[in-house]
Amino acid sequence: MALLSTTAITKTFGTLNVLKGIDFTIEPGEVVAVIGPSGGGKSTFLRCLNLLEIPSSGHVVFDGEDLLNPNVDLNRLRSRMGMVFQQFNLFHNLTALRNVMLPQMNVLGKSKADAEAHAMELLEKVGMTHRAGAYPSQLSGGQKQRIAIARAVAMNPKLMLFDEPTSALDPEVVNDVLDVMTDLAQQGMTMIVVTHEMGFARKVADRVVFVDGGVIAADMPPEKFFADDNTHPRVREFLNKVL
Amino acid sequence: MKTIFTRRRFWAFLFALVLLGITGVTAQAATAATTPAPTPAVTSEKLAALQSGNLTLRVGTDATFPPFEFTDANGDKMGFDIDLVRALAKQTGIKNVQFIQMPFGNIVPALQANQIDVGASAIYISAERAKAVDFSDVYYPGGLSIFVSDKNTNVKSLADLAGKKVAVQVGTKSVEWLSQNQPKAQLVQVQTNDQMFSSVKLGQADAVVTGQPGGRYFIVQQGGLKQVGERLTNENYGYAFQKPDTAIKDSFNSALSDLKANGGYDKLTAKWFGHVATAAPVSAKAHGLINISSITNSAVPLWNGFVTTMEIIGMSLVLSLCFGMLGGFAKLSKITPIRWLGTAYVSVIRGTPFIVQLFLIYFGLPQLGLQLQPLVAGVFALGLYSGSYVTEIVRGAIQSVDKGQMEAARSCGMSSGSALRHIIVPQAFLRMLPPLGNEFVSLTKNSALVSFVTISELFLVGQTIISRTFDALTVYIFIGLVYYVITNIIGFIANTLEKKMAVYL
């Protein structure tokens, strides 16, 4: 059974139709790269998956439950879907360690000791134990993003959503973050990654979803998507621009 | 802000508001029910309760009018009225008497609002006042007289007051009498008795029209003024009582004739008015500009006033924060009526003078059956007023927190309440500190205004000292300094707190 599926979701901001009916599924363990031109609706699509944006119509079913059902416990479902933002969005008033601990304690009800032990373990994995006591303002972008990933992973999510995680980073630290994401994918995490990193999409993703004009214009394995003989006109045009 | 509040939370909040409203109404109804009904039977019960010591006789007085009533260096009230009321109460068997300081103009409203039982403040018996309150028999004959500077030679009679500035105390008989008998006089209405005399000494007014006993007492004490012309009127002083309260009034009247018969009354008039026989002008007595003794002699009441002021500031500050938080969140609410409520609160409270709100709460609400203690009314009014400014500070600070913070918290599965408590409010609070510091400095300064509802805080204590020493310069400089120190301490605390909390910036 699909871990997450959407049926005909649309999103309208005023008179602007950003999403025009998206059908999408992802199986457990899959890594899907969402790419496409700016303004095509990639981020809005991703934000509709955990209801940071409420779709104007359609359905989002995650882990067998319809997120748009008003009786569903949205907080519980969101805790199983980690999200990583372009602007990191670490909690400014908490240290790196506390950032990773707070949701574990607040949402999962873990004890302080358990949360701290788990947080330190994850900071170790992303190579940030030496900055555990630092506040976000004292950290570089790459460091912040690795901590943000640790914070999301700490919830033991079934699915991770990445919204252009490297777009706000200096080029020299982009690979630090991509390495962490690659590790995560290799451990079997189900991931949906909105990205402009074509190398990452090609190497790590199982599928590439091309969102353009508010619809999924192409959905195929990366070797086919990036193949020289891909004749999809919009994909061709896009790849010629970015590659 | 879209996902901050869920629909369910809104209904819970709305329900809580409605519930609050209902309990408020019930409480009000209960207060109304416990207020004694105005029937003679009940008032004689009241007299019995006073005589048994179960109730305390509450006497309203403006103790800024020597020799009738004023405050000594220890903060105790003294004067002819104070002594006579005590003697009359003793004669009638009333055990406990409490004098409550209030501006003269508030005494009749306070009687009507059942905040006091007797008004004893050199009140003239007038037909106008007798519509609102009952008067005792005459306890002292009085009458208006003209007083001018001892150097003044051009005011000798009522006719000479035409076109002159005449100082009168607001709410007193002089105001009404002059407007009828010398409408050409320009009235300078001042709040206290001593301001009346000071304004002539300082040249702010040409003459004072006030009760003869008070004027003569000032001449004996301070000099620099003289009485001119004959007495203008021949009225009489009486004690004022609540309209239906005939039992207490009657017992006072019979006690008064008893005292007159046994010589107790004569002893008191000799004590307080004996020296007034010498009406000859006394030249101004020499005083230094700044008299430290005005402060040191009154250290105890000043300290008590300071403590009261700090209590008022502390309590209204907490209340202001509560109102501000409620108001701020109401203004950010997704539910339109709640948002309107927040907007209306700020609009009404910020759009009307604080003093009007204070008087409405203290003097107006009793008509709706809700009678508040002066301190409660003062703190509530200050908190309500300041809270309207804090509302805008809270709203602005919360809106200024990056919306990614809320999104990150919600995407982890945190509820909007948890996100507010752990993430948004702590960050917003840091941004609130500088404007909150400013607002609490304003609140501190406004706290001086609650002296109008008879709270003996620093400013009112200062005024009573001035009514005794006539040393406005020293006392107001000292009190100004105290407020200056308090406001600077608040500023310092806000700054330190901000620096301490700003570790993560």
Side-chain angles (χ1 to χ4, degrees):
Chain A
M1 194 185 79
L3 178 61
L4 178 137
S5 64
T6 71
T7 322
I9 52 173
T10 67
K11 179 65 186 178
T12 307
F13 292 107
T15 55
L16 189 66
N17 296 318
V18 179
L19 299 182
K20 297 171 185 166
I22 290 195
D23 296 310
F24 170 84
T25 59
I26 184 167
E27 300 298 326
E30 260 191 312
V31 175
V32 173
V34 179
I35 65 177
S38 295
K42 305 184 297 289
S43 283
T44 305
F45 164 62
L46 193 74
R47 290 163 61 83
C48 279
L49 299 183
N50 67 352
L51 262 53
L52 282 186
E53 302 290 354
I54 314 280
S56 304
S57 66
H59 290 283
V60 181
V61 176
F62 171 65
D63 214 8
E65 295 188 73
D66 183 349
L67 266 59
L68 287 157
N69 177 348
N71 296 320
V72 91
D73 183 351
L74 189 56
N75 290 336
R76 188 172 49 84
L77 290 173
R78 275 176 171 161
S79 73
R80 299 184 203 154
M81 257 192 281
M83 184 157 190
V84 174
F85 299 84
Q86 181 178 354
Q87 295 299 335
F88 330 124
N89 293 345
L90 287 183
F91 305 132
H92 299 318
N93 57 323
L94 303 178
T95 60
L97 179 62
R98 300 286 303 183
N99 260 276
V100 184
M101 287 167 66
L102 175 68
Q104 294 185 63
M105 294 192 291
N106 186 269
V107 181
L108 304 180
K110 281 198 195 176
S111 73
K112 200 179 164 199
D114 287 353
E116 183 166 348
H118 191 41
M120 287 308 288
E121 199 180 300
L122 290 166
L123 288 178
E124 170 94 58
K125 274 191 187 164
V126 299
M128 287 302 300
T129 40
H130 64 299
R131 300 295 278 149
Y135 285 97
S137 61
Q138 299 159 336
L139 299 168
S140 73
Q143 292 175 321
K144 281 190 232 187
Q145 197 60 299
R146 283 186 278 157
I147 290 161
I149 293 170
R151 177 176 68 183
V153 172
M155 304 297 287
N156 293 327
K158 293 188 166 182
L159 171 66
M160 288 277 290
L161 310 175
F162 292 83
D163 189 4
E164 303 198 26
T166 57
S167 296
L169 297 177
D170 292 334
E172 69 268 24
V173 300
V174 165
N175 282 329
D176 295 348
V177 171
L178 290 179
D179 287 348
V180 169
M181 290 167 62
T182 306
D183 281 352
L184 210 52
Q186 281 165 357
Q187 287 160 27
M189 178 64 76
T190 314
M191 293 163 58
I192 303 173
V193 187
V194 173
T195 187
H196 292 292
E197 294 295 329
M198 295 305 143
F200 177 82
R202 197 197 300 248
K203 272 185 284 175
V204 182
D206 300 308
R207 275 160 60 203
V208 175
V209 165
F210 183 72
V211 174
D212 183 27
V215 296
I216 294 180
D219 182 347
M220 56 188 79
E223 53 275 15
K224 229 177 125 188
F225 184 86
F226 292 105
D228 292 337
D229 60 356
N230 187 346
T231 53
H232 193 294
R234 293 287 295 135
V235 172
R236 203 62 263 160
E237 189 188 335
F238 176 75
L239 288 178
N240 284 340
K241 271 187 200 157
V242 297
L243 290 179
Chain B
M1 295 324 297
K2 169 165 297 161
T3 47
I4 284 188
F5 292 112
T6 66
R7 190 166 294 269
R8 247 166 303 166
R9 271 180 187 281
F10 268 132
W11 285 115
F13 185 37
L14 199 67
F15 177 70
L17 271 186
V18 169
L19 205 67
L20 211 68
I22 292 169
T23 48
V25 169
T26 330
Q28 188 176 310
T31 320
T34 53
T35 307
T39 65
V42 174
T43 54
S44 59
E45 269 170 32
K46 188 172 171 181
L47 179 60
L50 288 164
Q51 285 164 337
S52 70
N54 288 338
L55 270 185
T56 296
L57 187 75
R58 300 164 301 172
V59 184
T61 188
D62 184 0
T64 61
F65 194 70
F68 282 93
E69 43 270 323
F70 56 105
T71 310
D72 73 5
N74 295 324
D76 296 327
K77 292 187 172 55
M78 54 195 303
F80 179 66
D81 276 335
I82 310 296
D83 282 355
L84 184 56
V85 167
R86 285 221 168 93
L88 292 171
K90 195 176 168 195
Q91 188 73 21
T92 55
I94 291 173
K95 292 231 165 46
N96 302 315
V97 179
Q98 178 199 6
F99 289 94
I100 300 168
Q101 171 63 35
M102 55 183 60
F104 187 84
N106 293 353
I107 290 175
V108 170
L111 277 168
Q112 290 175 306
N114 188 29
Q115 282 156 352
I116 55 172
D117 306 303
V118 185
S121 202
I123 307 170
Y124 281 138
I125 299 168
S126 78
E128 190 63 33
R129 286 187 185 134
K131 285 180 196 158
V133 295
D134 270 350
F135 277 103
S136 68
D137 295 340
V138 175
Y139 71 85
Y140 194 76
L144 296 178
S145 293
I146 304 171
F147 297 87
V148 296
S149 163
D150 55 7
K151 297 178 195 76
N152 185 314
T153 53
N154 55 20
V155 174
K156 295 192 179 64
S157 68
L158 180 63
D160 295 336
L161 290 181
K164 294 283 195 300
K165 287 187 212 149
V166 181
V168 288
Q169 190 177 0
V170 66
T172 60
K173 168 87 185 169
S174 314
V175 182
E176 173 194 338
W177 191 86
L178 274 175
S179 62
Q180 281 161 13
N181 295 284
Q182 184 46 284
K184 286 182 190 148
Q186 299 171 26
L187 297 191
V188 177
Q189 301 208 31
V190 297
Q191 285 289 335
T192 64
N193 184 52
D194 58 283
Q195 286 167 0
M196 207 164 47
F197 297 115
S198 301
S199 59
V200 170
K201 282 182 87 168
L202 300 172
Q204 293 161 343
D206 301 300
V208 169
V209 170
T210 189
Q212 178 173 259
R216 289 192 175 182
Y217 182 80
F218 179 85
I219 291 171
V220 172
Q221 293 292 308
Q222 299 288 315
L225 257 55
K226 65 181 177 186
Q227 184 180 355
V228 293
E230 291 302 304
R231 273 204 294 175
L232 302 173
T233 62
N234 230 340
E235 309 98 332
N236 300 309
Y237 292 114
Y239 294 125
F241 295 86
Q242 293 181 18
K243 250 309 188 198
D245 221 340
T246 51
I248 299 178
K249 186 194 78 175
D250 293 344
S251 68
F252 261 60
N253 281 340
S254 65
L256 183 60
S257 49
D258 290 349
L259 283 184
K260 280 185 173 166
N262 71 16
Y265 176 83
D266 289 342
K267 260 192 224 161
L268 285 182
T269 53
K271 175 179 172 189
W272 294 106
F273 298 105
H275 51 257
V276 175
T278 55
V282 180
S283 57
K285 293 180 177 172
H287 288 289
L289 268 180
I290 299 288
N291 301 292
I292 300 304
S293 63
S294 300
I295 306 302
T296 50
N297 287 345
S298 302
V300 172
L302 279 170
W303 171 254
N304 292 337
F306 172 76
V307 170
T308 306
T309 288
M310 293 309 284
E311 284 169 358
I312 291 167
I313 294 170
M315 289 188 288
S316 45
L317 197 141
V318 170
L319 199 62
S320 160
L321 275 177
C322 294
F323 279 130
M325 284 284 174
L326 278 179
F329 283 118
K331 284 200 80 165
L332 292 171
S333 164
K334 218 171 60 172
I335 296 262
T336 311
I338 293 180
R339 211 166 51 239
W340 281 346
L341 224 65
T343 307
Y345 167 48
V346 172
S347 158
V348 170
I349 300 298
R350 271 201 335 197
T352 53
F354 170 67
I355 198 78
V356 172
Q357 294 163 22
L358 178 67
F359 278 28
L360 196 63
I361 288 166
Y362 187 65
F363 295 112
L365 288 187
Q367 283 175 261
L368 300 176
L370 184 65
Q371 193 169 310
L372 298 174
Q373 295 292 317
L375 194 69
V376 176
V379 166
F380 180 76
L382 273 174
L384 189 72
Y385 182 74
S386 172
S388 68
Y389 288 85
V390 175
T391 292
E392 286 300 310
I393 293 170
V394 169
R395 182 194 57 76
I398 286 181
Q399 278 182 332
S400 76
V401 174
D402 174 24
K403 89 184 205 315
Q405 297 286 303
M406 178 57 89
E407 287 184 350
R410 298 309 308 267
S411 75
C412 293
M414 289 171 71
S415 67
S416 60
S418 291
L420 282 171
R421 188 160 68 249
H422 296 290
I423 310 296
I424 310 297
V425 172
Q427 291 183 34
F429 187 69
L430 183 65
R431 291 165 207 236
M432 285 180 216
L433 275 173
L436 273 185
N438 287 339
E439 176 46 36
F440 292 147
V441 163
S442 282
L443 184 148
T444 300
K445 294 187 289 183
N446 280 337
S447 77
L449 290 170
V450 302
S451 59
F452 279 107
V453 294
T454 79
I455 302 172
S456 286
E457 45 65 76
L458 193 57
F459 183 72
L460 185 61
V461 169
Q463 286 193 313
T464 56
I465 293 170
I466 292 166
S467 76
R468 187 182 66 251
T469 61
F470 299 98
D471 188 4
L473 187 65
T474 308
V475 175
Y476 284 138
I477 285 178
F478 176 76
I479 286 184
L481 276 174
V482 174
Y483 281 111
Y484 181 75
V485 170
I486 299 175
T487 55
N488 273 275
I489 289 173
I490 291 176
F492 176 77
I493 291 173
N495 257 326
T496 313
L497 216 59
E498 193 192 351
K499 280 199 191 107
K500 222 171 169 164
M501 287 183 60
V503 283
Y504 57 80
L505 281 190

